[in-house]
Amino acid sequence: MQRGPDHPLRCEYHAAGLCFSCTLIDEPYSRQVADKQRAIAALIDPLAPGLRWLEPRLSEQLGFRTKAKMVVAGTVDEPTIGILAADGSGQDLRDCPLYPPALSSAFAPLAAFVTRARLEPYSVPLRTGELKHVLVTVAPDGDLMVRWVLRSTEALARVRKHLPWLLEQLPRLAVASVNVLPEHKAVVEGEREIVLTERETLAMTVNGIDLHLRPQSFFQTNTEVAAALYRQAGAWLEAVSPDSLWDLYCGVGGFALHCAAAGREVVGVEVSEQAVASAQRSRDERLAADDATMESVTFVADDAVGWASRQRGAPAAIVVNPPRRGLGEELSRRLEESGAEAIVYSSCNATTLARDLAWMPSYAAREARLFDMFPHTAHGEVAVLLERR
């Protein structure tokens, strides 16, 4: 892939008609961002007279993805690592330039591992085989997490046997696991995870804070832009200076840990027990390092909607970072009635964001900012500061 100062990028996979994941790659990056913000603003602005849009936070155009979800296809001796073609065969994307070298350099050893451990790639047309995906995450310091998604544990012994060889090939491999996905359906992973290494978490250092990712933890795939998103939320809340804060859908604690302040009571709520365990570990490590801002930070494993509805009172401020489905009516109306002074809403789906804002008429959207997590696609993350009227 080649680029000019503001010209469309050329990707050889895209040019050859082999991959169309980057749907906007033929457009200059400045136009991509302008169109993305225009589309989001068209949904939000009618609900927010006087809303101030901050300058978009741009992304690197190459090497920005720190997580790869690769389909494994082909044969044991000639595996492909990439995506599926229209006919169900594998299309290798090992040279996709969206991945940084620290991540993409792992693909060749991982392909060799498929052959060495005799992991038969899964065939979608035939519904045969064991290995469906290989998921790779790289931390800012270069450490790696690798997960093999298998249909059963039949090959588990072979994975264990040959793992020492892979550790020699990939010295930065810190966490390795097998995920079991027996169903014949188009999902990336199953519920069962078997960790194969002594380390169980990958430390993603963001703005000087270690966020611990377990194999099934959600984390933004664009770490640099995610760091800017956390800083923005922290800056908004610093101006409001609330004495208490809820972080709903807190994940591994990114917003809660970044928005903590001495004397501020922070509660992070996340349904995933693994994510909460990771968030607690990050908090405990900072407490051990005499970080006084962590003294009043707690995390709860619970459904955000149910937990918020059971609370009698409300904090001075709330951060919400829901999945694409948004908050929904019940939680939006709970926040509307909360009396919180400010809400920071981080959304990956402007349509559900606009819907939720309509259920919170007591809050005025003051500032908003686009965070371009996914260059060359129509997807974007937008954060909005809401203040009580």
Side-chain angles (χ1 to χ4, degrees):
M1 188 182 282
Q2 301 171 342
R3 62 173 173 174
D6 194 28
H7 299 287
L9 304 184
R10 178 175 175 80
C11 170
E12 299 304 325
Y13 292 120
H14 181 83
L18 300 176
C19 177
F20 297 103
S21 298
C22 294
T23 55
L24 304 180
I25 201 167
D26 291 328
E27 298 182 14
Y29 185 53
S30 61
R31 186 190 305 166
Q32 292 180 31
V33 175
D35 289 348
K36 202 174 295 190
Q37 175 148 330
R38 191 177 301 113
I40 294 172
L43 293 168
I44 306 304
D45 285 355
L47 300 167
L51 174 63
R52 176 173 174 247
W53 283 93
L54 305 180
E55 283 295 315
R57 176 45 164 92
L58 306 183
S59 169
E60 293 291 334
Q61 297 183 57
L62 306 173
F64 61 86
R65 292 188 65 93
T66 54
K67 183 174 183 177
K69 300 178 181 180
M70 309 296 270
V71 176
V72 183
T75 66
V76 170
D77 293 310
E78 295 185 5
T80 61
I81 295 180
I83 60 174
L84 289 180
D87 63 359
S89 62
Q91 172 56 54
D92 202 279
L93 295 181
R94 292 183 219 179
D95 295 324
C96 173
L98 299 188
Y99 301 113
L103 192 157
S104 59
S105 61
F107 292 148
L110 288 170
F113 184 82
V114 171
T115 303
R116 178 175 287 265
R118 310 309 292 173
L119 304 178
E120 182 184 358
Y122 179 71
S123 169
V124 172
L126 300 177
R127 293 194 170 191
T128 60
E130 277 292 308
L131 178 59
K132 300 193 74 172
H133 305 101
V134 61
L135 312 178
V136 189
T137 303
V138 62
D141 66 359
D143 279 355
L144 294 168
M145 177 188 293
V146 172
R147 304 167 63 203
W148 294 276
V149 181
L150 301 170
R151 288 189 56 221
S152 74
T153 57
E154 179 273 332
L156 180 59
R158 298 197 301 279
V159 173
R160 290 186 187 276
K161 175 182 177 181
H162 295 285
L163 183 57
W165 175 87
L166 186 62
L167 290 168
E168 291 179 359
Q169 305 302 308
L170 297 175
R172 301 304 300 270
L173 178 55
V175 183
S177 68
V178 163
N179 178 273
V180 183
L181 175 61
E183 296 89 352
H184 297 277
K185 58 184 180 182
V187 295
V188 175
E189 62 187 70
E191 296 182 2
R192 184 183 178 191
E193 196 85 24
I194 304 168
V195 179
L196 306 176
T197 49
E198 182 176 350
R199 278 182 57 180
E200 297 185 350
T201 67
L202 185 70
M204 304 292 286
T205 305
V206 182
N207 299 318
I209 297 175
D210 285 346
L211 302 176
H212 289 279
L213 270 62
R214 283 175 165 76
Q216 292 182 309
S217 297
F218 168 79
F219 194 72
Q220 297 283 8
T221 190
N222 192 324
T223 304
E224 286 300 315
V225 177
L229 174 62
Y230 293 141
R231 291 195 299 271
Q232 182 65 69
W236 278 334
L237 289 171
E238 183 179 354
V240 176
S241 192
D243 59 5
S244 54
L245 175 73
W246 290 352
D247 178 8
L248 305 182
Y249 304 100
C250 71
V252 295
F255 283 107
L257 296 169
H258 277 82
C259 297
R264 178 178 298 164
E265 182 179 339
V266 180
V267 182
V269 183
E270 169 60 50
V271 71
S272 168
E273 293 184 0
Q274 280 201 4
V276 167
S278 294
Q280 290 171 334
R281 176 174 175 180
S282 297
R283 177 207 58 197
D284 291 347
E285 288 181 349
R286 296 193 68 79
L287 275 174
D290 295 326
D291 183 348
T293 65
M294 299 291 118
E295 290 179 354
S296 298
V297 177
T298 59
F299 293 96
V300 178
D302 205 338
D303 170 68
V305 180
W307 184 87
S309 67
R310 293 192 301 272
Q311 305 310 302
R312 293 185 177 180
I318 302 171
V319 176
V320 292
N321 183 29
R324 289 189 61 79
R325 65 177 182 272
L327 300 177
E329 183 173 4
E330 182 179 352
L331 184 52
S332 295
R333 294 197 184 280
R334 171 68 179 92
L335 300 188
E336 162 69 12
E337 299 167 358
S338 70
E341 181 181 352
I343 297 174
V344 175
Y345 192 142
S346 179
S347 170
C348 61
N349 185 343
T351 299
T352 56
L353 168 61
R355 178 206 65 195
D356 293 342
L357 293 182
W359 282 320
M360 294 187 284
S362 295
Y363 288 91
R366 302 300 189 195
E367 289 187 342
R369 191 177 187 188
L370 169 66
F371 294 83
D372 194 26
M373 296 280 186
F374 312 102
H376 321 307
T377 76
H379 299 293
E381 187 90 8
V382 60
V384 182
L385 172 63
L386 308 173
E387 293 183 338
R388 197 143 190 103
R389 297 182 193 274

